[in-house]
Amino acid sequence: MRKSYKIALPALLAAGLLTAPGALTSAASAASATSASTTQSASAMALTLDSAGCEAIARRFLCEVHFSGAVAPVAIRWFVNGNAIPSFDNRSFVGIGCQPTFRYDIRAVISDGSGASVQFHTTPTCRSGTP
């Protein structure tokens, strides 16, 4: 998920990202500024799992994942007891049916266009009762 920001032209000039007509900059300072901004933007755009969890309710788990810093395209894959569940692909919130008193292995793997990936893993026990 990318965020876009609108920055006013004077702010860009003050930050040195744009130069006024006729202003000269040395190749060395431009190269170091470019490498520094590339490093900063790469670290700022790292895929991070912000929060995740599964809540056990009667005969169902409600699971969600929240992430940031992903580079498009983003893929979310859900696995229950080691089996991929294609109907849950690319969803950040899913409801998983379960059999009371059984323990389940639930995993979500989030990957982005840069090849980075993070995962959420939990092993909750299904609850019985009425919703």
Side-chain angles (χ1 to χ4, degrees):
M1 295 172 23
R2 288 190 172 185
K3 295 181 180 177
S4 63
Y5 298 96
K6 291 185 179 182
I7 301 174
L9 184 59
L12 291 173
L13 286 170
L17 297 175
L18 295 177
T19 56
L24 299 176
T25 60
S26 71
S29 66
S32 68
T34 302
S35 65
S37 67
T38 302
T39 303
Q40 182 181 9
S41 65
S43 65
M45 293 301 294
L47 177 60
T48 307
L49 183 63
D50 296 333
S51 65
C54 285
E55 181 179 349
I57 60 172
R59 300 178 185 268
R60 183 166 295 278
F61 298 114
L62 301 178
C63 302
E64 64 183 331
V65 292
H66 297 280
F67 57 92
S68 61
V71 176
V74 176
I76 304 171
R77 296 194 62 206
W78 289 90
F79 299 86
V80 177
N81 294 334
N83 299 310
I85 310 297
S87 61
F88 293 167
D89 282 358
N90 301 317
R91 295 183 183 190
S92 59
F93 180 84
V94 296
I96 302 168
C98 62
Q99 183 67 35
T101 71
F102 284 87
R103 182 172 294 277
Y104 285 75
D105 183 83
I106 300 171
R107 184 180 313 267
V109 178
I110 303 146
S111 56
D112 71 2
S114 72
S117 67
V118 294
Q119 72 173 328
F120 162 69
H121 179 245
T122 187
T123 55
T125 301
C126 186
R127 293 181 48 200
S128 62
T130 56

